[in-house]
Amino acid sequence: MEHTVSLKTKAVKKFKQGYPLITKDVVNHLSESIEEGNVLKLVDEQNRFIGKGYYGIQNKGIGWVLTNDAGEEFDTAFFKRKLQKSIKERKPLYDNPDTTAFRVFNAEGDGIGGVTIDFYGGYYLIQWYSKGIYEFRSYLLKAMDELVEYKGIYQKKRFDKAGQYVEEDDFVKGERGDFPLLIKENGIRYAVDLNEGAMTGIFLDQRNVRKTIRDKYANGKTVLNTFSYTGAFSVAAALGGAVKTTSVDVANRSLPKTKEQFLANGIDPDTQEIKVMDVFDYFGYAVKKNLAYDLVILDPPSFARTKKRTFSSQKDYKQLIKDAVSITAKKGIVIASSNTSLISMAKFKGFIETACKESNRRYRILEEFSLPDDFKTTKAFPEGNYLKVVFFQVQ
Ligand code: SAH
C-alpha cells in the first residue's frame, strides 16, 4: 500500500536536502487506514514530489525517507544496492583478522532508517527498530543471501515492547551459533551471545575507545569501570597493563559475564575486582575509604531505574561526573561517555566544565570520540551520531 502524504510547508526544505526522519509534526494528515510497512509518498502542499519512504513507529518518529527519486521502488534490488555499498565500505574491517565484529549496515547512515546489521565472527545480527521496517524483512534477507557468506543470521526486534525485550529465540536462518562465541576486536577477545536477550555482551560502537584505553591510558594505572556490564573496558585496561581494575554494575549477570571476558583473554578474574552493586553506593563507599583511582570510566545508560533510584543522563550526568572526580587521583583521568542524542557534545562538555568547577578541580580535555566509521552517519541527520566520549584529566 502506498499513501500520499503532504508535508507542512515549513518542513519541505529540510526534506529536499535529504533529511530522513519523518515525525508526526511535519505531516498534514495521515489516513486512518495506514499500517506499518506502508509506503509513504511525501509531497508538498502543491502536490509536488519530495521523497518516498515507509511508515514505521519508533520512539524517534513515524518513519524514514529512503529515496528522493520518485521512480525508485523498495524491492530486493533496492536493499541489495544499499547493502552492497555498505559492505564495500567495510572492506578494511572484513579484511582485518584482528577485528571480527563490527557494524555492516547503520540504518539511515547507510540509507535505510530503522534497521542495522552487525557482523560477529561469521554470524550476522539484524536489529529491526519498527514493525514497519520488519515488513521488508524478506527483501533484506534475500539481499544478504545474494551478497554475503555467513554461518547464521540472528535478529532483535527492538520494537516489541517499550523497553522490554520479549523475544525468546532470535535465530533466523543458517546454522545456529555455539554461544558464547568468541570474537576479536583489535586483538582483544570478547565472548558474545546473539541469542540471549536484548544485548550481546559487547557494544561495538566503543571499539576505538577500548583500543585507546589499552594502548595509551591503562599502563600502571588503577582503573574504576562504572556501569561496567560485561567489563569490556576493564578487559581492555587490564590488557593495557593496568595495575588493577574494579568493575561495578548493579546487574547480577555482570559478575559471571565479566569473569568470562577476563578468562577469554587469559586474565585470572581473581586478580581483578568485580562488584555487583549500585554505582552511586560504590561512590559513597569509595569516598569513605578514601579511595582514589588513576582512571575512572563512566558509561551509564541514558536512563536507568534501580530499586533505589532513577538515573537520567540529561538530569544527572553532571552529578555523576562530580562523584567520579571526587574519587579520581591527582592528575587522574576520567573517561565520560554518553549515548543519548538528546545531549549534544557542547552540552556534554558543559556538564564536565560545571562539574569540575563545582568540585574545585582544574581539568584538561585529552581526547574526544564519536561513532566509529562503521557506524556510518549522514550529514543530513547529524543527530544520528549519538555517541560522545570525552577523556579529561583533573588536576
Ligand atoms: N560500559 C558498558 C556498557 C554499559 S550498559 C560496556 O562498555 O560494555 C549499562 C549498564 O549499566 C548495564 O549493565 C546496567 O546493569 C548498569 N546499570 C544501570 N544503572 C546502574 C546503577 N545505578 N549502578 C550500577 N550499574 C547500573
Side-chain angles (χ1 to χ4, degrees), residues 70 116 198 214 218 328 374:
T116 63
R214 180 193 63 187
T328 304
D374 51 325

Side-chain angles (χ1 to χ4, degrees), residues 199 201-203 206 210 225-233 248-251 253 277-280 299-301 304 306 309:
M199 303 189 284
I202 184 125
F203 289 96
Q206 298 276 15
R210 285 187 283 266
N225 180 12
T226 65
F227 306 93
S228 56
Y229 181 42
T230 66
F233 287 129
V248 184
D249 196 292
V250 75
R253 62 161 191 243
M277 70 190 281
D278 193 303
V279 161
F280 298 95
D299 183 25
T306 61
R309 47 174 75 82

Side-chain angles (χ1 to χ4, degrees), residues 250-289:
V250 75
N252 287 322
R253 62 161 191 243
S254 68
L255 178 64
K257 292 280 178 192
T258 303
K259 283 187 175 169
E260 183 177 55
Q261 302 295 28
F262 280 122
L263 286 169
N265 290 279
I267 298 163
D268 178 358
D270 293 341
T271 60
Q272 311 294 321
E273 216 172 340
I274 305 167
K275 301 253 186 201
V276 176
M277 70 190 281
D278 193 303
V279 161
F280 298 95
D281 292 338
Y282 189 79
F283 286 133
Y285 162 85
V287 167
K288 219 190 288 163
K289 293 260 170 187

Side-chain angles (χ1 to χ4, degrees), residues 85-102:
K85 180 164 181 281
S86 80
I87 289 168
K88 201 169 161 203
E89 288 169 2
R90 274 68 171 185
K91 187 154 192 310
L93 283 164
Y94 275 108
D95 290 346
N96 180 351
D98 289 332
T99 297
T100 60
F102 51 88

Side-chain angles (χ1 to χ4, degrees), residues 72-115:
E72 200 166 26
E73 297 295 326
F74 306 144
D75 49 15
T76 302
F78 175 83
F79 281 80
K80 208 173 152 182
R81 282 196 298 280
K82 298 288 176 192
L83 188 58
Q84 196 153 29
K85 180 164 181 281
S86 80
I87 289 168
K88 201 169 161 203
E89 288 169 2
R90 274 68 171 185
K91 187 154 192 310
L93 283 164
Y94 275 108
D95 290 346
N96 180 351
D98 289 332
T99 297
T100 60
F102 51 88
R103 178 145 295 188
V104 174
F105 193 89
N106 196 37
E108 75 284 350
D110 284 300
I112 306 177
V115 62

